Structures are given as C-alpha cells and as structure tokens.
Amino acid sequence: QFLEEVQRLMSVNELWCHDDPDEWENTCEGLEKFITSKLYDHFFCPREEDRERDQKLHDRISSLSFVEFEHLDIEGPETKGDFQLSWQLAMDELRKMNDYKAPRDKMVCLLNACKVIVQLLTDAREDADESPPGADEFLPALIYVVLKSNPPNLFSNLDYIDCFRDPHKMISEPGYWYTNLYSAVTFLENVEHDRLSISEEEFAAGISMAKAQMEQAKQMAMSMSASGGGGGSG
C-alpha cells in the first residue's frame, strides 16, 4: 500500500509526470528495489519460526539427496552427461535467489533457472529427434533442480517474493514459474515412496543413510570449529 501511494504521488509530480511508459516502469521498479533493499533486514525472515521453517525444509531436502532422475521418472535424453553443465547452471541460478535483496532480482534468478531447464529439455529432445517437451516434463525437472541445489532460505525467499513483489508483475509468465517452484517445494516437503519410482524399503534406507551422512557432516563441522578455535587461542 505504501509503494502504491508513493507511486501515485510520483505520477503527478513534475519530475515524473512526463515519463513515457518504459521510463515510468523503470522508475517504479527502482522505487520497489530501493525501499525493499533498505528494509530488507526487517522484511526477510523476520521471525525465529521463519528461520526454523527454512532449516527444516533444508534438512528435509538434504534427507532426499539419494533421489535421482529415475526416481522422478525423468528418463529422456536430458539425463545424459552432455547436459550436466546445463543442469548445474539451473541449480546455480536458483541458489542465487538468496544473494539478492530486491524481490524483482530474486524473481529474475527463478526465471533464469526455469528458462535454462526449458532450453535444456528442448535441446535434449531436438538432439534425440524427439517431440518438444511439455509441461508434464518441466515440473519433475524443476523438482530435480531444487532437490540437488537445495537453495538456502527457500521458504523465506518464496514468501518474500509473494509479499513484496508488485502483484501486477506476478501475472502471466512470472506467476507461472513461481507457482511451479512452489509446487516443487511442496512436493519435496511431503513426498513419500509412493510418489516416487522406488520401493518403500529403498526409500527408508535412502532417508536413513542421508540422515546419517548429515549427522556425520555436522559432527565434523563442529569438531573442526572447536579445533580451529583452540588453534587460534594458542
């Protein structure tokens, strides 16, 4: 409401009232970025329960690290090694969401990741002389990217975009990609063996092994931290 009121006042001010549509759009984007960046520490993940929710999701996704292409029924040519760099690029773009303060910049990272996935699937089908990919093939691919990248503060980034991005800029394509990411997160948050191509026993064993590896890594990090502290004092 504050941003809308400021934009209304600016639109009739001599400094901006003569802007053409593109200039005015850039002005509004700049205003949103300025305000949200200045107040970011108050806006982003403001409560302890937000941080706990992010950590719980991060641990949940880590516990699913054993899930691979075949478990998500991703069986096309995109699974070949030739496309590994493209998968990695999509993961890197998704992780970048947490590096930016403006909601638009976070959305750009999501859009870039989704466009890389679409291009990856398209190129893979063309190389194999197969029909173009459809929406049913995109979501499993996005789930895989979220799973393997495990971006930090994922829930908080989604909530932040939802709360502070201009809703008029979240219709059409941006809204579609945002909804897909939310669907991917919801899937990973709740998935059990019956939603994957895996037996109940294999799923339970995978979860158990992943959690053991997480605990081992945690203990190692704590040990290194304690050792480093002792070395510094010496």
Side-chain angles (χ1 to χ4, degrees):
Q1 290 175 333
F2 174 77
L3 284 169
E4 288 176 357
E5 178 62 13
V6 173
Q7 288 176 18
R8 186 188 67 78
L9 293 171
M10 289 172 62
S11 69
V12 295
N13 185 284
E14 183 63 28
L15 289 173
W16 296 284
C17 65
H18 301 297
D19 282 2
D20 65 37
D22 289 340
E23 290 173 332
W24 176 243
E25 182 172 347
N26 287 335
T27 296
C28 293
E29 291 285 13
L31 176 65
E32 179 185 272
K33 183 170 184 175
F34 178 77
I35 296 296
T36 54
S37 296
K38 289 294 184 182
L39 296 173
Y40 187 74
D41 291 341
H42 302 283
F43 285 168
F44 187 81
C45 198
R47 302 168 302 181
E48 180 62 31
E49 53 259 45
D50 298 321
R51 291 184 283 274
E52 291 174 356
R53 190 184 183 204
D54 283 328
Q55 187 61 51
K56 184 178 179 181
L57 176 63
H58 190 273
D59 290 346
R60 167 63 175 172
I61 293 177
S62 294
S63 75
L64 295 168
S65 59
F66 64 93
V67 174
E68 298 295 343
F69 286 127
E70 62 269 20
H71 302 130
L72 294 166
D73 293 327
I74 301 174
E75 301 170 343
E78 65 272 13
T79 62
K80 303 296 186 290
D82 295 347
F83 298 98
Q84 185 56 45
L85 287 178
S86 294
W87 286 109
Q88 189 60 54
L89 178 58
M91 295 173 202
D92 291 343
E93 286 296 327
L94 207 54
R95 287 195 191 99
K96 287 179 184 177
M97 285 178 66
N98 201 55
D99 297 337
Y100 293 93
K101 294 183 176 181
R104 177 184 182 275
D105 293 340
K106 291 181 183 291
M107 270 303 301
V108 167
C109 294
L110 169 56
L111 292 174
N112 287 343
C114 291
K115 288 177 180 178
V116 169
I117 294 171
V118 170
Q119 192 62 52
L120 183 164
L121 295 174
T122 301
D123 290 346
R125 295 302 191 282
E126 287 180 353
D127 288 354
D129 199 25
E130 297 180 3
S131 57
D136 290 344
E137 291 157 303
F138 173 79
L139 184 56
L142 179 58
I143 290 171
Y144 179 83
V145 168
V146 175
L147 172 65
K148 296 303 180 181
S149 61
N150 201 356
N153 302 316
L154 190 48
F155 267 133
S156 290
N157 277 293
L158 284 167
D159 285 347
Y160 180 81
I161 291 170
D162 189 41
C163 288
F164 298 108
R165 181 59 175 149
D166 183 346
H168 299 103
K169 303 293 175 57
M170 288 295 290
I171 58 176
S172 189
E173 186 182 17
Y176 175 76
W177 299 131
Y178 177 89
T179 300
N180 270 274
L181 178 57
Y182 209 99
S183 297
V185 170
T186 301
F187 177 87
L188 291 171
E189 188 180 20
N190 300 291
V191 67
E192 295 294 338
H193 75 280
D194 54 349
R195 300 287 302 279
L196 299 168
S197 293
I198 190 172
S199 70
E200 185 174 1
E201 293 74 19
E202 288 175 310
F203 184 83
I207 290 278
S208 179
M209 182 178 296
K211 287 184 175 180
Q213 291 171 344
M214 290 162 58
E215 184 61 29
Q216 185 178 16
K218 181 180 177 181
Q219 293 297 331
M220 187 177 297
M222 291 173 61
S223 176
M224 291 177 64
S225 177
S227 175
S233 60

